[in-house]
Structures are given as structure tokens and as C-alpha cells.
Amino acid sequence: MTAIILDGTDITAYVRSCEIVTGFSDPLQHVADVGTCYLVVNNEDRRFSPNNTSSPLFSSLLPYRPVVVTEGAITLFTGVVQSIRPEPGQYGNRQCTIECVDLLGVLQNHLISLPLQEGQSPGYLLRLITSAALRGARATGSITFSAAPSANDTVTIGDITYTFKVTPSAAYEVKIGASATEAAANLEAAIHTTGEDQISGAYGAGTEKHPDVTAANEGAAGASGGTATVPGAVNGYDYFGKLAGINYQRAQKFTPDTGSLDAFSVTLEQTAYDTTNITWEIQTDAGGVPSGTVIATGTFAPYTGVKTVSGIGGPVLSAEQNYWLVLRKVIPFGFGSADDYSGLGGYFDAGGIDPPHEALKTGSGSWSVYSTRRAPMSVTTAAVSGATVNLTAVARGAWGNSIALAKSGANIAVSGATMSGGVDEPAGLIDFDTGQRTIDIAGDTWRDDTTNALTAITEVAESEWGYFWCARDGTLTFRDNLYPFNLANRAADLELNEEHNYQDTVMSAEDIINRAVVSYVPRGSTTSGVIARAQQILAVPGRGTVGSTSSNYQRWNPSDDVTQAFGSRTYTIPYVDVSTGQIVGARSLVLPLVPGTDYSVYDTQDKSGYNYTNSKRVKFSLAVTGGGIEVHMTNTATGTLYVHDLQVRGVGVIAYDPLNLVIDDTVSQEDYGRRVRDVSIPLQIDGGDAFAEQVGRFLLARWAIPLARVPAVYFEGVETVGAVNLYTIEVGSVVEVTETQTALSAERHRVLGIAYSLHEKAAPRITFLLAPLTGNTYLTLDDAVLGLLDQNRLVL
């Protein structure tokens, strides 16, 4: 019994036809085609028209809503909606076509970049790629200081050990400082290799940016507490938005002294007849407005005069970071209620001087307004007893769970022996072989403006000479280069002895390969020098009327979302060999950027104005990927500043022009002419030239002579052969074909792809696309599992 589920709703009764195609279409293909499912549904009642708001499916008629097709307990297709095309009623059939794609289609739609990867297995890289595209959770951990560490205490993160010193000099030595919070700030600086614009003398010369983690310091220098006083709002208002003409928000921005939120004071005016509580919220800043992210909240009773809320014991607030204090009040009136976020530092009366109040006054009944006068407010922070550096893996996925954490010293604690919480995506839908090869370098050519996840997957699969596809239940599957040989030793899943309706049998010259041209790309390195350069002057807007204090938003992690705040700007600069203009990867970056060498800053575009290069008005944070660097700049000045001659130095990783290894079968060429197949090994792998030769000889051994093969068999109205339910056959199943007329006897094939054609008024049709398996039986060495070999070589 076929069932078709759209976003949790069974739509089977409306489906006129269902056409599914999944798997590979070419025997030498290494990544399957994007699986598709086309549903034609009855749309006479317009329930599948996306613009029909009265449709019971209205909320489900969107791209990326899940679709599952089953036959009994067997899943035939798992994917998401790609497009919805309803036909008009006057001339059309009053039907709708819903195109769906499997997870390969989703991966094809997502651009990615990764940190440079060296010496990794194909399975490892594939998990990084899919987790990056599908936004898997990143591993996290923390280092906590209860007090300043002692000299020679250490913190180990992955393969790097940081040693605390009074005066650091050597690489990975970190300054102790006068307190736990200073030690935490210095460790964060060492992890990021921040420059003098952030913190002075924090670590020793030669320290490099940590390749695996980024840090967020929850305790900063100066975390002794204090009181920040904020003037009243200009013109009595700090208005920034309303909803539906009734709801409106007011809030006051403040920049505290670093420390734990302890108290705030605000001047209020209360009108009579309203005793419901006021809700207060502390929110982070998002580009000059409250972000909606509440980090502390509470309530207090209506009050006239200066109201102090104390003893909060809230989160640590960072210096030079903007926050918002928001007051919320439900204002009752005749026909309902609305949220009133009254502005701090502002003042208004009941006379309706602000449009939202005019809207509220249209109701009948009593209501009251809470506001602040033109008076300063204050926010007090308390001293922080300890300091924590939170760590986040630079790439998404479970790989980060293996990053080791360790320490020495009584005043230091780590969150665990390793970081934790990383999750590979799609969770529960991954079945990857590790791979037989080691990929020396990857990620150096993957850029999030040009490289989609499926392209990166293809490069990995082709370099291993493996096979990648999406199973019918949605599981992403990868098999290494031993896959077809393992199948050759496996018992058949389906034996056909003329039970099929049709069989495509062919012996064709088009299949012959007697010259294999195997292309592989070796990598090399440049000498240290400029590997990224901005070709234009980069403008960084100032804070303007928002205020002169920096939000100090820093972006060190390439997997973080880019958030633009007032006074900041992010630029992505690809790595380039400046001598040739060729795009490259990079390693061993020279960080931090050196003012006067790697950039200069002026308040004019032509450098005729004031030189701000050494003023620390522009702060830099850098998110590093294998193919480029994202430079986030924060301008703490009021007006726009211009960054000139920005460059990054390091060692370039060059992908040279491909080497093309030619393997010929001259006997076959004499008989059938030269028939060439170009294949690619896109990534540098261990033993690249030897492996390229193996691939070429394997192709000629299999395809240099004519081969009668069965590209496809199909069944119409047949769902069981012998004791085998045809719906249980999937990509990778072994099918043995015997057929008298074509003189085939127990010819073994692997299932490349599957097509289902299901119509409401026709018998179901099932098509299996096949690729021939060799009839050889392979020797098993040093392993109890049939088909596994003890050497890293293709079987010829």
C-alpha cells in the first residue's frame, strides 16, 4: 500500500502519479545524481495552491518541507519539496506538480568553506562537509580560572599547550596577569593571536592561531565592577519601532563596566489606576537595536521616582559592549491590551505626543503610561570572582568531540577530558566508510561564494575512487574503492530467470575504453609572503549618532553567522599567489596583522587626512578558512575610517596545473580505434601518481574489450520475484540475470539506480539500472571479513 506524506500529512488520496528516480546513472560515476520525486496531485479544491491561505496545507506548501513515500513498511523516497507548480483552472487540468529532491539536492544548494584540512581520511572529510552544509552542532568546552594561575601552570587544547609566565617570550607562553580575569583575557588573545589593538603583551613571539578552536572570554580585564551612568534620551525619546500600530517598544542603551550585573536605577513616572507589574529585560545589542536575546529579566511593582532594582546576580557584562535595558508594560484599555516598552531616559505625557499613544487612546476605558523623565539611568556591575574562557570548534560536527582538554595548576579547571556536544549532520542518517586513501590537502579551493557541498563531496569521492549516494530512507552513504570488489564476493539479493518484463541488453563500442587519461593535481607551497590582499580601499563606518562606543563584536570562527553591527564591517579576501594571480590555499598565517605593514588607516580615501593607523580606532578579528580569510573590522570612532593596503602574510598552498597520466591498451586501439576516457583525482592524496596509474589500468582491464551488459531491467505489475519483494532491492543490491534469448547466464550486476512509476490508474512500474560486476572471486588477506584486503590498493 503506497503512502505519500507531505510535512506530516497523508496526501495519498490526492496523488494522481508519483515518479521517483534515485541513485547513479553511469557505471563510472562516483557521486549519485540528485534523487527526484515528482508528484502530480489533484488540485480541484485548491488545497495545493501555495497562495490559498484557507488551504489546510497552507503552512506545508513551502520549499524544504519533508516528503516521504513508502510502500507498506518500505521507504521508497525521503526528501524535501523543491518547487510547487499549480496549474490554472480555465485551461489547465486543475492539478499541481510538486517536485521533490533528496538530501543530495539539499547539499547542492548549500555553499561551504572549511579550515584547511591536511592528512585526513575521506570519511572524516565527508562528515565535515555535510555537517557544515546542514549546520551540525559544534563541539564546545571551557577553561575556568578561580584565581590567577602560577608560573608554569599549563592549559592544553588539542595538540597545543599554553604555559603561563610572568613575562612570556617563547611561542605559546601566556602572560599570567594580576587576576583570573586577566589570565583568561590573555589566553583568549593567544588562542586568536590578537594584536596590540586588543591586548598588549599577552603571549610570546611565534604563537600561531589555534587551528581547531576559537575562544570567547567570559571574564575580562577590569572585571572589578562599577557603575555606568547613561544620559537621558535625546528629545525625550529613544523610539525604534512599533507593531500593528499598537505595540511599540522603547529601551535605553548602555555600556557597563565589565562585571556581573548587580543593579540598575531608572526614573519612572506613574499615572493612577494601574497596579500590574512592570517587566524589565537586559538584552544584547543587534546593530543599534535590542537583539531580542534576553540575558536577564525580572519584574517590579509600579513606582514613581527613582526605582532601583538590586541584587540581580546576573550574567557577566563585557566592557565596550552595548546592551539594552527594556521595560515592558501591559496597558489595559477598552478592547484589549498591548505591550508597552517604555523608553528609559525619555519622557512623554498622556497627551499623545507619540503616534503609538494616539493609537492607544482610541480605545475606551482607563489606561496608564509608564515612562522615564529626562534623567540619567545607572547600571551597576559587581566584581567577578572567577573567569571562564569558552571554547568552540572551528568546524561543525562530532570531530571536535575528540579535541583534548587538560591543565596543570590548582587555579585552573577544564570542562572535561575532551570537548563535547559536536553532532554530525544529518544526525542518524550517515553511513560512511573511512576510506582506503589519505587525502593530503583539502579545503584550499572550497570557498563559500563558489563551492557547494555536493561539489566538495564529489572531489572527495573521486579522489578515493569511492561511491557516494543518498539511500531511499535519506541516509547519506559512502563506500570506499573496495566497494565493487566486495559486492563481487557477495551472494545475489535478487536472481532473475526471465521473470522481468523487459531487459535492455547491449554490447556497444561506446562502452570501450582503451586510453585512460587520469588527471591529478599535486600541491606545492610558496615561500612566506603576501597571500591575501585587498585590492580596494575598505570603508568602515563609524558609530555615528548611535554613539561612539564600540560594540566590540568579534568574529573569530568561520562557522559563526556574520552579524553586522553599527561601526563594523566584514570582508572576505581569497588567498592568491600575488606573483601569478592564481588562487591558492594558505597555512602559517602571520598574525596579528601589523599596523603600518599589513594595513594603514586614515579618515580620508586619499590618505590626505589624519593617520589613524596606530590609534587602535579600528580593531581586527580574523576568521580563517582553507581558501580565504574573513576580516571583521570594528570602528570605535564616530565617523567613517578607511583601511588602506590591507594584506595577510603566510605560506601559500598552490594547486598546480593537473598532471595527466596516460595509460593505453594498444591491442584494443588496433581493433576499435582510440577511445578515451578522462577521469580526475581532484585532491592530493598519498601516493598520487601510483594511485593514478592503478585507476587507469583498472579502467582498461574492465573496459578495453567489448562487454555485453544489461544496463536496465524493469517490471510492470510485478512486485515479487520468487520470495523477494522487489521494493526491498536498493542501490548496492546484487542482481543476477539469466535470460535465454540474450544468452545471459547468471550475469552478476550491482544496482546503480532505481526508478518507480506509480499511477492511480496503472500498474506500478519498477526499473533497476545496473552495472556489471566482474565474475572473479577475490582473495581475502589478514581479515575475517570477506573482501577486505590488507593493502591500500585497487584490486585489478
Side-chain angles (χ1 to χ4, degrees):
M1 179 65 180
T2 303
I4 300 170
I5 310 299
L6 168 62
D7 197 23
T9 301
D10 191 334
I11 63 169
T12 309
Y14 298 91
V15 177
R16 292 175 173 173
S17 66
C18 173
E19 301 282 347
I20 298 172
V21 178
T22 62
F24 303 83
S25 57
D26 185 329
L28 296 179
Q29 192 176 354
H30 293 279
V31 174
D33 300 323
V34 172
T36 58
C37 173
Y38 286 88
L39 302 173
V40 177
V41 295
N42 184 338
N43 195 33
E44 292 180 359
D45 62 359
R46 302 186 304 143
R47 72 175 50 226
F48 294 98
S49 297
N51 287 342
N52 179 16
T53 57
S54 62
S55 168
L57 297 174
F58 177 69
S59 62
S60 298
L61 299 176
L62 292 168
Y64 279 26
R65 289 295 192 263
V67 173
V68 179
V69 180
T70 59
E71 178 65 30
I74 302 170
T75 300
L76 303 184
F77 178 86
T78 303
V80 297
V81 173
Q82 179 79 354
S83 65
I84 303 170
R85 294 187 174 89
E87 294 183 13
Q90 183 175 2
Y91 302 109
N93 295 319
R94 296 188 179 181
Q95 62 187 24
C96 177
T97 300
I98 303 175
E99 178 187 358
C100 311
V101 295
D102 65 9
L103 204 49
L104 296 187
V106 176
L107 294 170
Q108 190 175 51
N109 289 334
H110 285 272
L111 298 172
I112 68 158
S113 64
L114 290 174
L116 187 70
Q117 302 296 317
E118 300 186 71
Q120 302 294 355
S121 69
Y124 176 95
L125 291 174
L126 291 173
R127 288 176 183 270
L128 285 186
I129 294 166
T130 59
S131 297
L134 303 176
R135 300 184 66 80
R138 297 171 296 186
T140 60
S142 63
I143 310 294
T144 299
F145 299 86
S146 59
S150 300
N152 297 317
D153 285 353
T154 63
V155 167
T156 299
I157 305 171
D159 295 331
I160 296 178
T161 297
Y162 299 91
T163 303
F164 286 93
K165 298 283 187 177
V166 174
T167 304
S169 57
Y172 303 106
E173 291 183 351
V174 180
K175 186 175 182 179
I176 295 172
S179 65
T181 52
E182 288 189 15
N186 294 337
L187 178 61
E188 181 198 36
I191 290 170
H192 294 152
T193 58
T194 56
E196 294 295 311
D197 62 334
Q198 306 285 346
I199 188 169
S200 299
Y203 53 88
T207 302
E208 293 189 7
K209 187 179 179 71
H210 200 291
D212 298 328
V213 303
T214 56
N217 175 24
E218 294 298 329
S224 58
T227 299
T229 300
V230 184
V234 179
N235 298 325
Y237 305 109
D238 198 359
Y239 174 74
F240 61 86
K242 64 178 179 178
L243 299 173
I246 298 177
N247 296 346
Y248 65 95
Q249 302 175 16
R250 289 167 179 259
Q252 182 67 43
K253 182 169 51 187
F254 66 93
T255 304
D257 291 339
T258 305
S260 177
L261 177 64
D262 183 66
F264 67 85
S265 297
V266 62
T267 303
L268 299 171
E269 177 174 295
Q270 175 193 3
T271 60
Y273 313 118
D274 189 357
T275 59
T276 57
N277 277 350
I278 297 172
T279 297
W280 62 267
E281 296 173 345
I282 303 294
Q283 297 187 17
T284 55
D285 178 77
V289 298
S291 66
T293 301
V294 178
I295 60 175
T297 186
T299 62
F300 60 83
Y303 198 86
T304 301
V306 178
K307 174 64 179 178
T308 299
V309 178
S310 59
I312 296 172
V316 174
L317 305 181
S318 299
E320 296 193 37
Q321 172 68 54
N322 289 329
Y323 297 90
W324 292 81
L325 176 58
V326 177
L327 295 189
R328 186 187 325 193
K329 179 70 179 162
V330 176
I331 303 176
F333 61 102
F335 53 85
S337 63
D339 284 346
D340 172 15
Y341 296 77
S342 294
L344 305 177
Y347 173 81
F348 58 82
D349 58 28
I353 60 176
D354 193 54
H357 297 289
E358 291 290 338
L360 287 172
K361 285 177 62 181
T362 60
S364 61
S366 64
W367 53 275
S368 59
V369 174
Y370 284 81
S371 70
T372 59
R373 300 180 185 278
R374 292 186 181 88
M377 90 173 192
S378 65
V379 176
T380 302
T381 52
V384 180
S385 59
T388 298
V389 177
N390 290 325
L391 307 174
T392 304
V394 296
R396 298 179 182 273
W399 74 275
N401 297 337
S402 63
I403 298 174
L405 299 178
K407 63 89 178 183
S408 68
N411 296 334
I412 307 174
V414 296
S415 57
T418 64
M419 293 173 61
S420 62
V423 177
D424 290 331
E425 290 289 348
L429 295 173
I430 293 176
D431 182 9
F432 294 166
D433 283 351
T434 300
Q436 297 294 316
R437 314 299 306 182
T438 297
I439 295 180
D440 293 338
I441 296 176
D444 56 321
T445 59
W446 299 342
R447 293 176 174 83
D448 61 8
D449 57 344
T450 58
T451 306
N452 66 58
L454 196 57
T455 297
I457 288 169
T458 300
E459 290 192 1
V460 173
E462 289 181 346
S463 299
E464 163 71 17
W465 204 251
Y467 304 84
F468 189 96
W469 70 93
C470 182
R472 298 177 303 176
D473 65 357
T475 299
L476 295 179
T477 306
F478 172 69
R479 294 291 174 261
D480 63 28
N481 59 45
L482 297 182
Y483 169 67
F485 309 109
N486 291 334
L487 293 182
N489 286 341
R490 201 176 79 185
D493 300 291
L494 175 65
E495 296 180 3
L496 298 178
N497 192 357
E498 306 190 33
E499 293 93 346
H500 41 296
N501 299 83
Y502 179 78
Q503 168 185 308
D504 180 17
T505 305
V506 62
M507 176 183 284
S508 172
E510 297 299 321
D511 290 336
I512 296 174
I513 301 171
N514 51 38
R515 165 171 279 201
V517 180
V518 186
S519 170
Y520 63 100
V521 182
R523 292 330 197 247
S525 297
T526 66
T527 58
S528 182
V530 176
I531 47 83
R533 175 176 290 161
Q535 301 299 322
Q536 295 179 329
I537 300 168
L538 306 179
V540 187
R543 304 290 295 175
T545 58
V546 177
S548 61
T549 304
S550 165
S551 67
N552 203 27
Y553 177 78
Q554 297 175 336
R555 184 173 186 271
W556 303 102
N557 198 318
S559 59
D560 282 343
D561 294 331
V562 177
T563 302
Q564 299 292 354
F566 285 103
S568 70
R569 186 157 286 177
T570 301
Y571 292 93
T572 298
I573 307 174
Y575 301 130
V576 175
D577 182 350
V578 295
S579 63
T580 64
Q582 182 177 354
I583 293 176
V584 299
R587 58 162 72 96
S588 302
L589 301 185
V590 179
L591 300 176
L593 302 180
V594 178
T597 299
D598 296 323
Y599 66 89
S600 59
V601 181
Y602 290 82
D603 59 2
T604 60
Q605 296 189 55
D606 61 1
K607 296 187 179 181
S608 63
Y610 186 80
N611 186 341
Y612 281 87
T613 302
N614 294 304
S615 69
K616 302 183 182 180
R617 280 297 191 180
V618 176
K619 300 178 184 292
F620 294 84
S621 58
L622 308 174
V624 178
T625 68
I629 189 165
E630 296 180 3
V631 182
H632 184 87
M633 294 176 285
T634 301
N635 179 4
T636 65
T638 301
T640 299
L641 294 178
Y642 300 90
V643 177
H644 297 255
D645 309 315
L646 179 66
Q647 66 179 27
V648 180
R649 290 169 291 152
V651 175
V653 177
I654 300 176
Y656 292 115
D657 291 335
L659 292 175
N660 298 316
L661 179 66
V662 179
I663 309 292
D664 283 307
D665 186 316
T666 55
V667 174
S668 176
Q669 290 176 10
E670 285 291 331
D671 292 337
Y672 306 109
R674 182 174 290 172
R675 307 194 64 85
V676 181
R677 179 79 179 215
D678 294 319
V679 296
S680 174
I681 301 175
L683 303 176
Q684 179 173 304
I685 60 173
D686 60 314
D689 53 349
F691 186 65
E693 181 177 0
Q694 293 174 39
V695 168
R697 296 197 180 282
F698 166 73
L699 287 174
L700 299 189
R702 294 288 291 121
W703 300 96
I705 60 175
L707 176 68
R709 65 186 183 95
V710 181
V713 294
Y714 81 73
F715 307 82
E716 188 167 349
V718 177
E719 299 185 20
T720 302
V721 172
V724 178
N725 182 340
L726 294 181
Y727 290 113
T728 64
I729 300 301
E730 53 189 335
V731 171
S733 294
V734 176
V735 176
E736 189 175 276
V737 181
T738 298
E739 203 280 323
T740 303
Q741 186 63 34
T742 53
L744 294 176
S745 177
E747 295 291 336
R748 295 166 57 81
H749 295 74
R750 63 183 172 98
V751 175
L752 284 178
I754 305 174
Y756 303 102
S757 182
L758 310 172
H759 291 253
E760 62 179 347
K761 297 181 180 180
R765 178 171 171 170
I766 304 172
T767 302
F768 297 139
L769 304 180
L770 305 178
L773 289 170
T774 175
N776 297 338
T777 299
Y778 293 97
L779 185 63
T780 301
L781 302 176
D782 298 346
D783 201 294
V785 178
L786 190 65
L788 293 186
L789 304 178
D790 66 345
Q791 293 190 21
N792 215 14
R793 299 176 61 86
L794 283 176
V795 184
L796 302 180

